[in-house]
Amino acid sequence: MSPPGVEPGPVVRVTADTSDRSAVIEAIDDAADVSVRRVGPAGTPSPLGLYTTAGRTAIHTDLRPDAAAEAATTLEDGDFPTTGAEAAVDHDEDTAAIPAPDSGPLSVGTRRVLGPCGWVDPTVRPEPVAAEFDPETVLDRVATVGLRGRGRADGATDDLISAVWERTIEAEGDPVVVIHAADTDCPTDELMCRSIPGRVLDGAGIVADAVGAEDVVALATDPAVEPLEAVADGELIHRAPESFRIGEPTMALEALEGNDRIEARRRPPGPEEWGLYGRPTVVHTPRTLVQLRTLLEDGEGFDPESADPGTRTVAVRGAVRAPAVVELRTDSALSRALSAVDAAGDRYVVGGRFGGVTGSVDLPASAPALSASGLGTEGVLEVLGPDDCIVATVGERAAFAREENCGRCVPCREGSKQLHGALRDVYDGEFDPETLRELARVMRTSSLCAFGEAAARPIRTALEAFEPEFRAHAEGRCPAGTCGGLR
Amino acid sequence: MSTDDVGGGPNPRVPEIQDPRPSTPLTETFRTGTANDPPRPERAVDPEDGPATLTVDGETVVVPPGGTLLDAVEAAGSEVPALCHYDRDTEAAEEIGPRTTCRTCMVETDEEGPVAACSTPATDGAVVDTEAAAAAEARRHNLELVLSDHNLRCTTCGKNGRCELQDTSIEEGISHPRYGVFDDRDGYEPLDPTGAIDIDRNKCILCNRCVEACNDVQVEGVLRIEGTGEETRIGFQSDAETMADSTCVSCGHCATVCPTGSLVEGGLVDATTMPLPGFTQRNSVGSVLESERDRERDEREATEELSGVARFMSKARRTAGSATDRALRTGEHLAEDVAAGVFSEGILFGIAKRVGDARLDRLDRTETTCGYCAVGCRFELYSDDERVLGVRATDPDAAPANDFSTCVKGKFGYGFIERDDRLKTPLIREGDGFREASWDEALDVVAAELEGIRRDHGADAISCFASSKCTNEEDYLMEKFARTVLGTKNIDNCARLCHSSTVAALLETVGYGAMSNSIEDVANADCYLFSGTNTTESHPVLATKVKRNVRDGADLVVVDPRKVGIAEHADQYLRSKPGYDTAWMNGMARHIIERDLHDAAFVEEHVRDFDALKRKVEPFTSAEVERLTDIPAGELTAAAERIATADSVVFGWAMGLTQHSHGTNNVRAMANLALLTGNVGKPDAGLSPFRGHNNVQGGGGDMGTLPNVLPGYQDVTDPEVLDTFEEAWGVRPPEEIGLTVPETFEAIHDGDVRGLYVMGENPALSEPDIGHANKALEETDFLVVQDLFMTETAEHADVVLPAAAFAEKSGTFTNTERRVQRVGKALDPPGEARQDWEILQSLANRIDHDGRRWDYETPTEIFEELTDVTPIYAGMSHERIETEGGLQWPCPDADHPGTRFLYEDGFNFSDGMARFVPADMGEPGELPTETYPLTLTTGRVLYHFHTGTLTRRVEAITDHVPESFVEIHPETAGTLGIEGGDTVRVESERGHIDVRAKVTERPGKGVVFVPMHFADGAVNTLTGERYDPTSGIPEYKVASVRIERINRD
């Protein structure tokens, strides 16, 4: 037996986002006697075939069955398949991450938590990294570093997770850990569940030990369920209904409790004190959990002095040739993420569907920096193409908020309706930026949950950066030349 | 019921993780649609938390633990609106909210920035700024957003003038809401006027108060919130589309708490609208929903061929479909539209509110006590000159029994008052009929006839029946009238038929024939043993408190042959066999003693005759009890242990235990269990016989309307007692024990009683074996009936005197917890009808007697007199009762605060000890035979009261249960070839009735149930004249019958 991570002989890895992966693998198996691994997606714009032998890996993106078979045959023959490769990289034989090339999407940013994605076998659960730590040590290290939660689905979005844990520990009742892997707004959590589910669950185990929870429950999107179940060891994995709304943590808890109508819960207190069935509940996204695990595995790269220690993942989508997930140090510029894709535009929505609209992404990728600029911290960078009309874009998001809100609080339910109506009015020549700004402000300051707080962000930021676009529409002109009105 | 169709299938519900929240079994089917919010701040108080000191707008305020920022803002004298917050500072009101949906209460704190004050806990040291720009902007903007989705039709709204949204908008100076108001007629949801409460969803602001009142206060599970986003609306948990087709029990909580005109009591819908033709809510909205029930009624009316006009009117009442209505509607729309075009909304508010205020001024609001059951709910009656329009909650301090709760009868049961068939003039028999007469003539006839009987046959040839429905003052006079004016010893009342066995048993065991505890104790017990009480239907408001307490973790054991509503909430339901109750109670006592679980110290110190009890219960092993009652041995012992180990237990019962030929033994066995477990004389525990009539405790007992006791339960055979009364009254009361109600009927048959005076009772329906009772009424030489209607009893009368309904009189009622409360007069009696005390006074002064002339001017004077002769009422006065929220007897002097629970300082015997009175097991007087193989049991339904004299005359109520029925277990029905809806004949040795069959598992196999309220299908045609030897209570709860199908629709 080889030690874990060390491959005996030539190995071919085929990532899960490959179209018709079975056919590719069949072709390889038919052509050559090499070990083939089914790995999860790597977050790259294209699916990958990784051909490894003796500390050297050739990275291919041409995954037509005959091309793959040819590369595999080369590998079997003791040669290295450089023909058609994007890159060839030398590396440690026992590396647990895709070896980083000097160029191409995999070279962008710092793939620390994403590294194992597309490399390790998702069906194998790694050794727990914190087995020998006692809960106080874990809490202490997390608090000292000041690790923050990632994603709107997290129970501590951009807040110190140690503070949330402490409230859970102090609260009455048996604590629970909920893995929230059901936010449809950001693809990164699903990616992690498919590629490194064992690390996600191990991260949850660390939290469970730290807060004294015996139960770990995951709420996951459909594609994430099977990979999580494959490595689950006592964790309860549940399939989430497909809904943007349940990306909000209290609505996820409602879904887990089986409520037939999902609305946000009143706070305070939040889930950390009153969560699943009223038990103190730590809700974390896979992004947070893997970041946490990485911190405990190797604290290097987590600067306690940083306002947002660690890395941030950024899913780039929109007017790009193919979307990708990139990992950036929080002090590097968000614009770095664009080099992983072919972006066809210079206006952006930062922070998911309810992100902020901006013409510049030359700012640090850290949550505090993004928030300070009025942008979202959801870890999504959407590129708007030349044909994308700003007014139509924010109008569609207002319509979405109007349709998808849970209906509980007035600023969100009635506010999104008025917001949408006011944008329609723009097309009829009525543009009242002051009322729009006030409404957007009121929704942010007084909505019951993060859904309503964020729902008006696209408009608020678009008014700031692109007010002339609105005026043009009110005058009957769409600068993008594509606007057919707002549904 | 609509669910959230968030794609991707159902939500998981995490079955592996137990939901640790306490719940009643009903919780499983509750689908309120609302989130599992954290506990309300006041429920999440850590015992170690102290009050919080904080600053609001520069003022330093102290808020008790559990307080919110809204409390702090109010304490500081600052004001923010809080539309969705139900502003009533009581425990029950805390069940509602904070929903924190409207966000019109935003304030800013130094730590957290803008927050909703209603739901943010007040923390020590916080600095709150209500004037901060962001918070003030959000408050006002959100109020305008609320208005944007509110159908602002104040001039056609039933809440005009008492609408919280209207008030808030005026206070906030909203003259022109920036988003306008919801006035898109095409977008209107149709009005739902099908139930007792009208629903206008166009005025709904989704505060969810009604849903919480329905689910968390009433614990009924009818309403829910459904849909999301703009589709969010208040709907039903069942598939129903209309109120009438829902499972609504019309308790009225939702309308009571609704801040706008969305839920309005039917009678108040147009009470405050613009006083112009066409300005009605119905016209304003236009389209109107029809319920299944309406459609069925239309079909019924079509087949019954109502005459054209009557049918038209009947339909027109429910729909706005006629040409006139259409014309009026157009007028209203035009007027509203013109107004909306000319005036800003703020001016419209003002105009509408002035109209509303003016119209409200013309409405009378009278605080009173409910005239139906003995829970003693208090509220305000809204009335005009002719009728009661609606009922609204009164001040919490004035409503200790119910706070803002009501049931269908108290909230909507007033239609009988305005009925055309009310008696309006005295009537004198003429041949087979009656002729109208003047009061002078009628009273002269009565006086002469009664004097004649007294002269020829002696005073004891006259019997009087007092009424548990009348006021204390009136029943006191009735008893005084019998004993001093007529000089007869025969005075009794229908309490004989309900709790006389309770009174007998409790007098023997603990000393007072009354509930030992308070509703407050019932609401907070740790555990309950209920038997023979259909609490949810007979005492609905009390039942809501039990349901809430059980939901919050209290244990409930229900033992009953019928799986009544309260049993649905029970931790343990044991189905017993009718007539064998002493067996299971003795069995529990035996098991408790055997396991040494009894409260030995309490028994040693406070109870005599333990050994006698021990000997008596010895044979009742759990196996023997199982043989006798079919209650599984394990269930019995588990229930016994549950009761024995609880901190405090309330033992609750009603007619199911008392109305047996061994009813007194049943209650003795219950009292023994309470004493054995040490649950008497302490808070949150005790003996709770739930009394039936509004004033059965006072008028049916305390006032001495019984043949063996004078007011205050003073022995008629005690010469010293008689001396006192002789001094007070100037006449010595008869010192013999008089005849009970059933004995009176026997005596009539025997010719010993010839004159009968009946005040507000209907023995022709309520007596067992009414065939026999009616014969007695026929045989009476002279019968006087004082009532509201030509009752089945009055039909036999020689003189009928028209009396006043409870809304037409003043005085006091004493509720089931011994609380004496004021009754207020909202209306004048119709025609020449008079209050009962006035009638009795006029008559007393016409009949020759040795006492002083009666010259009471008001019920207050009568009350003053009765407190002089009734030691347990001695410290009371109308004034004290009014200002102190009622007083619970004993209240021996003017400084005494009244008594929440009895026996804290010993039992009501000279030695202060209670007594175990071992209970013999009786068998039912009638056992099933080959000819009559089924056991009939009887009782009530929620929607009716007693013999239905009142409730059968209220449309809101007959809508729910229009006719009698028989409940049959599916297996029994199968054997007999009966299906639900079949008309069947129920027959006993004494007679038969034809009723519809309901096939249900509520009764056990071989047991059938028929309600007691109906003249057509009168169940007492079937019951037998078998009585409890101690108390004389008839055995209504057991009769042997057979059933056959006679036809199927």
Side-chain angles (χ1 to χ4, degrees), chain B residues 836-866:
Chain B
D836 295 272
W837 68 270
E838 295 172 317
I839 301 173
L840 289 171
Q841 173 153 303
S842 312
L843 201 52
N845 290 334
R846 278 178 161 79
I847 294 175
D848 181 38
H849 64 101
D850 296 337
R852 287 181 286 275
R853 186 182 161 77
W854 289 18
D855 55 358
Y856 307 104
E857 295 215 338
T858 61
T860 305
E861 282 178 30
I862 305 170
F863 194 79
E864 274 166 23
E865 177 180 317
L866 77 86

Side-chain angles (χ1 to χ4, degrees), chain B residues 482-639:
Chain B
R483 287 179 168 127
T484 69
V485 177
L486 297 175
T488 179
K489 62 180 182 177
N490 300 325
I491 170 82
D492 201 8
N493 73 89
C494 75
R496 178 66 50 207
L497 312 178
C498 63
H499 268 301
S500 56
S501 43
T502 294
V503 173
L506 294 185
L507 284 172
E508 287 174 354
T509 51
V510 288
Y512 282 118
M515 211 162 117
S516 77
N517 50 5
S518 283
I519 291 172
E520 188 185 344
D521 298 307
V522 177
N524 295 304
D526 185 40
C527 177
Y528 300 92
L529 174 62
F530 275 14
S531 183
T533 159
N534 184 2
T535 332
T536 53
E537 303 203 50
S538 300
H539 302 90
V541 169
L542 190 113
T544 63
K545 295 180 187 242
V546 175
K547 289 193 278 186
R548 291 207 295 269
N549 193 27
V550 169
R551 175 201 65 197
D552 294 341
D555 282 354
L556 171 63
V557 178
V558 174
V559 189
D560 204 299
R562 189 161 163 255
K563 194 170 185 193
V564 289
I566 193 75
E568 303 286 343
H569 298 258
D571 296 275
Q572 260 190 290
Y573 165 64
L574 315 183
R575 197 191 285 284
S576 55
K577 222 155 82 177
Y580 294 88
D581 296 293
T582 303
W584 65 258
M585 286 183 278
N586 278 352
M588 281 190 181
R590 182 189 186 279
H591 183 76
I592 289 168
I593 296 170
E594 188 190 54
R595 288 290 159 92
D596 223 11
L597 294 171
H598 61 290
D599 188 338
F602 179 87
V603 169
E604 172 69 33
E605 206 174 319
H606 297 293
V607 199
R608 287 166 51 164
D609 306 328
F610 179 56
D611 289 335
L613 174 76
K614 218 166 143 179
R615 276 197 304 278
K616 179 61 76 180
V617 300
E618 184 49 39
F620 293 90
T621 61
S622 52
E624 175 64 4
V625 173
E626 179 166 347
R627 190 185 68 79
L628 289 165
T629 66
D630 294 341
I631 295 172
E635 289 280 326
L636 182 86
T637 53

